[in-house]
Amino acid sequence: MSQHINLEMGYGTYLKLCDAVENAAEHADSFDEIQSLVHLMDYLEEEYMRDIGKQNLDYKTWKMHEELFRNKEIYHHQYFYKVENIFEDNIERGLLEWNISEQDKFHLICELIDVFKKNDSDNVD
């Protein structure tokens, strides 16, 4: 069983890690060790750039939603964010794609129904 943990890394930390990997590559004894360090450097750069892109997208999305809320174009923002979180979770798990299976569609619909059903029962009290 594997577990994913997201660690945020600032630019300064990223540069320190890159310097440490470069220093290790300079003092490496074999080609295989150098090659694995180069792959590590590529992986660090790809992950850092992916994280920067995600942060920029999150900021742009937040800014757009705030504008919609100010203009009263989205009326139930609690529902909106709950449904959006379900979609984001399904996208991250790779379940929400163009070629989505019937089983995955069913699970997504059930999650959406649970959100509205829970909210309807909260409003009855």
Side-chain angles (χ1 to χ4, degrees):
M1 178 182 237
S2 65
Q3 182 177 2
H4 288 276
I5 298 173
N6 292 329
L7 299 175
E8 294 184 13
M9 178 182 357
Y11 186 67
T13 305
Y14 168 72
L15 288 179
K16 287 179 186 175
L17 283 172
C18 288
D19 289 342
V21 172
E22 286 177 16
N23 189 24
E26 288 175 4
H27 296 91
D29 295 329
S30 68
F31 175 78
D32 292 333
E33 191 176 344
I34 293 171
Q35 186 178 19
S36 66
L37 289 168
V38 168
H39 287 301
L40 176 61
M41 184 72 113
D42 290 341
Y43 176 75
L44 277 172
E45 183 178 1
E46 287 172 11
E47 286 299 307
Y48 185 74
M49 296 310 279
R50 184 184 61 78
D51 188 52
I52 294 259
K54 185 179 181 313
Q55 288 178 20
N56 286 340
L57 180 62
D58 289 345
Y59 174 73
K60 287 177 184 177
T61 303
W62 171 82
K63 192 173 178 181
M64 180 188 67
H65 292 165
E66 288 299 312
E67 187 66 30
L68 290 173
F69 293 146
R70 256 186 255 116
N71 294 336
K72 305 280 190 228
E73 294 180 37
I74 298 176
Y75 297 105
H76 302 288
H77 63 278
Q78 292 93 358
Y79 295 139
F80 178 81
Y81 280 126
K82 286 179 183 179
V83 172
E84 182 185 38
N85 287 337
I86 291 171
F87 279 115
E88 285 179 6
D89 289 344
N90 282 283
I91 288 170
E92 287 176 7
R93 291 187 302 194
L95 300 176
L96 192 60
E97 297 177 6
W98 289 107
N99 298 327
I100 188 168
S101 71
E102 290 301 316
Q103 183 179 8
D104 292 338
K105 284 180 189 177
F106 175 79
H107 290 294
L108 178 61
I109 291 167
C110 287
E111 287 180 33
L112 290 171
I113 290 170
D114 287 342
V115 167
F116 291 111
K117 200 166 135 183
K118 181 179 182 296
N119 288 324
D120 287 343
S121 66
D122 290 345
N123 291 334
V124 171
D125 295 334

